[in-house]
């Protein structure tokens, strides 16, 4: 009997397969957004949340490289703190259904929520002339990687004594670094297109008062 | 600007990913230095093992090992039992008399093999976090039930919680590692 499921993929083949799947998800969502009327902010939130969940799961072969931190930061910038907290928590819970749920889910949700709140607080300074500043988002997302990882590291205090925390954080630095560099790459590629989409569907968009031609 | 950032960050990411195993290993060596060589880590073990590397497996009272259920059996590198310590208030087995290992997982697999299958180790590999030991000596962490969320095999390095998993643990001479069940 044929059994296609018995094919064992190498880590590299798995990565190529996963990247292809993620590209399909991103492309289909990109297309779906085109057909939306403007002001559909909730639909965009759902699409972007699904993209982040899928991205985190599919990029698991790469250590600590995933789009969630940058996505949550952008949600914070465009849609505010409350929504970014919701998105961050849903992403942590949903992706952990596949990657493993436990006490750490709470700390991941907390860490990403803090990233989202930071985005909301800095939303004015992360824009230049009402357009997202990719380099500033990249810088903040690099720092956010370390902050997020250290928040999650605090969860080990449930099992380890306090004096071991600095050593634990030191042992995690390579993972923090790759998270930070990954964030910069995601920001470089995604910050502009995602910001454009979010701006088109923002409920906070400014009312444009166009001059009315006088008939005189 | 944004094109340069895209290209630069992608190249940097690929470079960091390629260098990741080397960065991680060198940081782990630094971390190993922080784990002080506690002199008491050999307490309760045979004195002839003082200069050698030792692994101990301790089983919870509710889930004793089928063979090493009374005291802690001391198994030498050739597989012979050189004594049983009944004063530790623990049950299980230690394998000692080994030398020259630097890779924690290699050491664990070789040392437990000395017990001829009684301490067989089962682990799976998580691409992010490395090797995760789920079964030792026939006791799987999934089997353990009680008034807690879950249980896991916890690794101790020279008497202190190990900062890294067994797959990343860098061993030095006369190091003692031990495994016991913890709950969360």
């Amino acid at each position: 009997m044929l059994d296609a499921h018995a094919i064992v993929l190498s880590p590299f083949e798995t990565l190529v397969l996963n990247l292809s799947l993620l590209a399909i998800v991103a492309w289909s969502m990109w297309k779906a957004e085109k057909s939306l009327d403007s002001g559909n902010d909730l639909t965009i939130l759902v699409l972007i949340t699904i993209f982040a969940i899928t991205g985190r799961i599919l990029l698991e072969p790469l250590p600590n490289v995933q789009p969630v931190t940058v996505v949550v930061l952008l949600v914070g910038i465009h849609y505010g703190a409350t929504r970014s907290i919701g998105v961050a928590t849903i992403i942590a819970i949903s992706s952990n259904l596949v990657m493993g749920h436990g006490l750490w889910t709470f700390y991941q949700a907390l860490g990403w929520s803090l990233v989202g709140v930071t985005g909301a607080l800095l939303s004015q300074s992360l824009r230049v002339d009402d357009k997202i500043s990719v380099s500033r988002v990249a810088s903040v997302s690099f720092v956010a990687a370390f902050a997020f990882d250290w928040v999650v590291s605090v969860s080990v205090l449930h099992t380890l004594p306090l004096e071991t925390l600095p050593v634990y954080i030191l042992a995690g630095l390579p993972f923090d670094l790759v998270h930070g560099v990954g964030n910069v790459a995601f920001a470089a590629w995604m910050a502009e297109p995602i910001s454009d989409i979010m701006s088109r569907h923002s409920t906070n968009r400014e009312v444009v008062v166009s001059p009315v031609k006088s008939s005189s | 600007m944004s094109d340069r950032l895209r290209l630069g960050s992608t190249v940097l990411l690929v470079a960091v990913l390629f260098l990741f195993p080397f960065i991680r290993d060198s940081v782990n060596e630094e971390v190993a230095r922080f784990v002080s060589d506690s002199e008491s880590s050999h307490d309760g073990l045979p004195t002839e093992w003082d200069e050698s590397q030792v692994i101990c497996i301790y089983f919870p009272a509710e889930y004793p090992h089928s063979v090493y259920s009374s005291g802690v059996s001391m198994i030498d590198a050739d597989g012979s039992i050189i004594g049983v310590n009944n004063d530790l208030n623990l049950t299980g087995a230690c394998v000692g008399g080994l030398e020259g290992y630097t890779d924690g997982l290699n050491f664990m697999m070789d040392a437990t093999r000395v017990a001829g299958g009684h301490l067989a180790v089962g682990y799976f590999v998580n691409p992010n976090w490395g090797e995760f030991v789920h079964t030792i000596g026939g006791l799987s962490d999934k089997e353990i039930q009680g008034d807690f969320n879950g249980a896991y095999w916890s690794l101790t390095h020279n008497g202190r919680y190990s900062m890294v998993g067994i797959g990343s643990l860098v061993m030095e001479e006369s190091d003692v590692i031990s495994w016991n069940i913890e709950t969360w």
Side-chain angles (χ1 to χ4, degrees):
Chain A
M1 231 168 82
L2 282 174
D3 185 2
H5 290 124
I7 296 171
V8 178
L9 296 178
S10 72
F12 182 72
E13 289 166 337
T14 310
L15 181 63
V16 171
L17 171 73
N18 287 3
L19 285 175
S20 316
L21 289 170
L22 188 58
I24 294 170
V25 172
W27 171 80
S28 63
M29 288 184 173
W30 178 263
K31 285 284 177 195
E33 187 273 332
K34 300 274 184 222
S35 60
L36 286 176
D37 297 332
S38 61
N40 261 309
D41 49 336
L42 284 177
T43 313
I44 293 304
L45 270 182
V46 170
L47 289 178
I48 205 79
T49 304
I50 294 172
F51 169 75
I53 294 166
T54 324
R56 180 163 184 245
I57 293 170
L58 290 176
L59 290 174
E60 201 193 7
L62 297 176
N64 228 354
V65 177
Q66 36 73 24
V68 181
T69 313
V70 173
V71 163
V72 171
L73 182 66
L74 291 171
V75 171
I77 294 170
H78 288 278
Y79 292 146
T82 316
R83 288 176 172 197
S84 72
I85 291 171
V87 166
T89 309
I90 290 168
I91 292 172
I93 296 168
S94 311
S95 52
N96 281 357
L97 291 177
V98 177
M99 300 175 77
H101 166 64
L103 192 56
W104 53 88
T105 307
F106 171 77
Y107 289 87
Q108 289 170 341
L110 177 69
W112 277 320
S113 296
L114 289 174
V115 173
V117 172
T118 307
L121 291 174
L122 297 177
S123 66
Q124 290 309 317
S125 35
L126 293 176
R127 284 186 245 213
V128 177
D129 299 335
D130 220 28
K131 199 155 169 50
I132 197 87
S133 161
V134 177
S135 55
R136 288 182 193 176
V137 170
S139 312
V140 172
S141 69
F142 183 79
V143 177
F146 288 79
F148 168 82
D149 289 354
W150 293 346
V151 167
V152 176
S153 293
V154 169
S155 69
V156 300
L157 291 180
H158 290 279
T159 48
L160 296 184
L162 181 63
E163 65 264 26
T164 58
L165 186 64
V167 189
Y168 187 85
I169 283 176
L170 177 69
L173 280 179
F175 290 92
D176 305 337
L177 176 70
V178 79
H179 184 185
V181 175
N183 281 359
V184 173
F186 278 117
W189 287 97
M190 306 189 321
E192 245 170 23
I194 291 184
S195 287
D196 286 348
I197 291 173
M198 286 180 171
S199 304
R200 270 204 292 282
H201 296 279
S202 174
T203 45
N204 300 329
R205 60 192 184 286
E206 288 161 29
V207 180
V208 180
V209 184
S210 49
V212 180
K213 278 183 188 169
S214 65
S215 53
S216 60
Chain B
M1 167 64 201
S2 74
D3 281 345
R4 274 221 317 264
L5 187 65
R6 280 176 190 172
L7 181 67
S9 61
T10 309
V11 170
L12 186 65
L13 178 60
V14 172
V16 169
L17 284 171
F18 267 106
L19 291 172
F20 181 72
F22 304 104
I23 301 172
R24 187 189 52 195
D25 287 353
S26 46
V27 168
N28 282 344
E29 276 177 40
E30 288 301 314
V31 169
R33 279 183 236 280
F34 278 91
V35 181
S36 62
D37 257 317
S38 154
E39 291 190 2
S40 62
S41 61
H42 279 264
D43 281 1
L45 299 174
T47 50
E48 56 260 51
W49 288 354
D50 278 355
E51 302 300 316
S52 78
Q53 296 169 321
V54 183
I55 181 171
C56 293
I57 321 286
Y58 301 119
F59 291 84
E62 300 81 15
Y63 297 87
H65 189 268
S66 54
V67 178
Y68 311 118
S69 54
S70 171
V72 179
S73 302
M74 303 296 168
I75 307 168
D76 211 10
D78 61 3
S80 61
I81 295 185
I82 57 176
V84 177
N85 188 339
N86 287 310
D87 301 332
L88 293 172
N89 206 16
L90 291 163
T91 70
C94 297
V95 181
L98 295 108
E99 285 172 7
Y101 284 90
T102 52
D103 181 298
L105 186 63
N106 274 347
F107 169 70
M108 181 177 184
M109 299 315 282
D110 283 359
T112 50
R113 222 167 269 138
V114 167
H118 291 314
L119 294 176
V121 175
Y123 65 89
F124 58 79
V125 183
N126 177 299
N128 280 354
W129 313 112
E131 289 77 5
F132 181 89
V133 172
H134 54 77
T135 304
I136 308 178
L139 180 62
S140 156
D141 53 13
K142 297 273 181 299
E143 279 174 48
I144 295 160
Q145 306 286 333
D147 190 17
F148 40 77
N149 288 319
Y152 63 98
W153 279 105
S154 161
L155 174 62
T156 304
H157 183 201
N158 290 334
R160 301 171 79 165
Y161 288 104
S162 175
M163 293 298 128
V164 295
I166 188 70
S168 304
L169 185 70
V170 179
M171 295 206 44
E172 296 187 3
E173 288 309 318
S174 73
D175 272 8
V176 178
I177 62 171
S178 59
W179 289 89
N180 62 287
I181 290 288
E182 295 278 352
T183 56
W184 51 272

